[in-house]
Amino acid sequence: MSFNNKIQLKHVLLSTVALSLLGCDANSANNEQVVQSQSNSVVVFEHTEMATPIKTMPQHHFFGRVQGSESYNMALFVDGRIERVLVKEGQIVSAGDVLATLYSPSLALRVKSRESGYESAKAILHQAKIQQKRSSELVKQKLQPSAVLEDAERALKVATQQVNNALAQLEEAKNQQRETQLVAPQAGVIGKLYSRAGDYINAGESIVRFESSETQKVVFSLPERIAISLPKTESVQVSFPNLNMTTIGTVTEKSLPNIGQPALFEVTVSLPNGNYEQLGVTAQLHVPISNDRLYKVSHSALRYDPSNRAYLLSAVDYNKLPVTVIAVEKDGVLLTSDKALLHPLSRVSEIINPLNLAVLEKR
């Protein structure tokens, strides 16, 4: 092939490539703009798109166990051997139910003795009332002197005082006996038994753990950022996966992390309308990742400034729109914005040209 033929072939190839590029430009959509990069091997198309609002905000999930709002260990303030344990773990009890008793035969005998004394005093009082009434009738009929009536009235006063004293002694004995009985202060559930019948316990040693069933709570361990974002009285969603139930709780307490321990805050959530089925089960706290608007955009719409802060570029006025990236998915990026994204966004995609014109011209 002659030198002139080579030159002609080269010009034909250049013309063909130029025409193909012009054809691409003519067939591109109205929202696409062709931009020639510094390197002839890359052709850049600038596109626009609309951010897609996402209604369902992703959530953080934390786990805890349901317990009574009033959960505490119960003990007696006297030493002794446990005579009977009248409850089992997980048993539902009512206010006033006896949970356990200590062996104390002397106190039992004292109560019986005081009960007998009280009954005797009441019998004497009854006879004194009858005698006083009879004497009063006889004096009215002038069948007895008034001195007899005065003696009967004095005897009635003494009998009344004896009944009051006997009753006080009986109550004292019963109070002493109550110190050997562990009684449920309110309706609830026995969470755990620490002692059994026959065990010897010291004063103040725990016998059972009691959990009230009237009100319930869940304690969750949360990272600092999330715990701070949940103020007290905040309403939060709590679910019970194994019971297939969901409810709305209220944040009531937030405790600070222990020094030297992981920076986790213990956040207490009170539950409404507690029931026995929920005690001890796993609860799940749902916290939205953000309270801002959630959108989805393509990967090429997301940009970063020199400080590595994410933003979008408005295709209308080319202003930067700061955003926070929530998650990167295969088909796009989830992000939040404190402002509504209502206008087209600019995005850039690169297409590598298979034919490098600069290299071809050098040949």
Side-chain angles (χ1 to χ4, degrees), residues 49-54 294-298 329 331-335:
E49 67 173 77
M50 296 296 296
T52 303
I54 304 298
L294 181 67
Y295 296 93
K296 190 171 189 177
V297 299
S298 64
E329 301 178 346
D331 57 344
V333 180
L334 290 177
L335 48 81

Side-chain angles (χ1 to χ4, degrees), residues 7-228:
I7 295 298
Q8 291 177 356
L9 178 60
K10 180 178 179 180
H11 288 169
V12 169
L13 290 174
L14 290 174
S15 300
T16 302
V17 171
L19 289 174
S20 63
L21 292 177
L22 290 175
C24 292
D25 182 48
N27 295 329
S28 61
N30 293 332
N31 64 340
E32 297 182 1
Q33 179 182 358
V34 179
V35 180
Q36 183 70 38
S37 66
Q38 293 180 355
S39 173
N40 290 331
S41 62
V42 178
V43 178
V44 179
F45 289 83
E46 184 177 3
H47 302 261
T48 61
E49 67 173 77
M50 296 296 296
T52 303
I54 304 298
K55 295 182 179 180
T56 304
M57 174 67 71
Q59 297 177 325
H60 295 293
H61 302 288
F62 304 94
F63 294 88
R65 290 198 177 275
V66 180
Q67 55 186 287
S69 294
E70 297 183 18
S71 178
Y72 44 83
N73 294 334
M74 297 185 64
L76 294 171
F77 296 98
V78 292
D79 300 337
R81 181 171 60 84
I82 297 179
E83 181 181 18
R84 293 182 300 167
V85 176
L86 305 175
V87 293
K88 298 179 180 179
E89 292 183 353
Q91 181 174 332
I92 300 170
V93 296
S94 302
D97 287 352
V98 178
L99 310 180
T101 61
L102 289 185
Y103 178 70
S104 181
S106 60
L107 287 177
L109 289 175
R110 183 180 299 177
V111 170
K112 289 183 178 180
S113 175
R114 298 293 170 81
E115 286 177 345
S116 298
Y118 178 60
E119 293 298 328
S120 298
K122 288 197 299 182
I124 294 173
L125 176 61
H126 180 67
Q127 292 297 326
K129 288 180 178 180
I130 294 176
Q131 185 63 35
Q132 188 271 341
K133 184 177 180 180
R134 181 171 177 274
S135 297
S136 178
E137 293 294 334
L138 292 174
V139 169
K140 287 180 180 180
Q141 298 175 11
K142 297 182 179 181
L143 299 175
Q144 278 187 350
S146 58
V148 176
L149 177 59
E150 292 175 357
D151 291 340
E153 289 177 346
R154 282 194 295 269
L156 178 60
K157 290 181 180 180
V158 171
T160 302
Q161 186 63 38
Q162 288 177 344
V163 168
N164 292 335
N165 292 338
L167 179 60
Q169 292 176 356
L170 175 60
E171 290 298 327
E172 180 184 5
K174 286 184 176 180
N175 288 335
Q176 292 176 347
Q177 189 180 41
R178 288 192 190 100
E179 293 181 357
T180 65
Q181 294 181 341
L182 196 63
V183 180
Q186 57 183 309
V189 176
I190 303 303
K192 188 173 182 59
L193 291 176
Y194 298 111
S195 302
R196 304 286 178 174
D199 293 345
Y200 185 88
I201 61 170
N202 297 317
E205 184 177 347
S206 298
I207 299 176
V208 302
R209 189 182 80 239
F210 179 84
E211 295 190 6
S212 65
S213 58
E214 297 175 353
T215 56
Q216 298 172 355
K217 66 180 180 181
V218 187
V219 179
F220 298 97
S221 296
L222 306 183
E224 178 179 338
R225 180 179 63 84
I226 297 176
I228 293 176

Side-chain angles (χ1 to χ4, degrees), residues 221-227 255-266:
S221 296
L222 306 183
E224 178 179 338
R225 180 179 63 84
I226 297 176
S255 63
L256 300 178
N258 295 325
I259 298 177
Q261 299 293 328
L264 295 177
F265 287 67
E266 288 192 347

Side-chain angles (χ1 to χ4, degrees), residues 224-289:
E224 178 179 338
R225 180 179 63 84
I226 297 176
I228 293 176
S229 68
L230 294 177
K232 289 184 179 180
T233 71
E234 176 83 2
S235 296
V236 292
Q237 182 182 2
V238 179
S239 64
F240 311 97
N242 294 328
L243 298 179
N244 196 24
M245 294 171 52
T246 300
T247 187
I248 300 298
T250 304
V251 177
T252 54
E253 296 180 22
K254 286 195 293 186
S255 63
L256 300 178
N258 295 325
I259 298 177
Q261 299 293 328
L264 295 177
F265 287 67
E266 288 192 347
V267 176
T268 301
V269 177
S270 295
L271 303 177
N273 304 324
N275 59 65
Y276 297 109
E277 292 182 351
Q278 294 176 188
L279 283 173
V281 304
T282 300
Q284 188 175 17
L285 174 65
H286 306 273
V287 181
I289 292 179

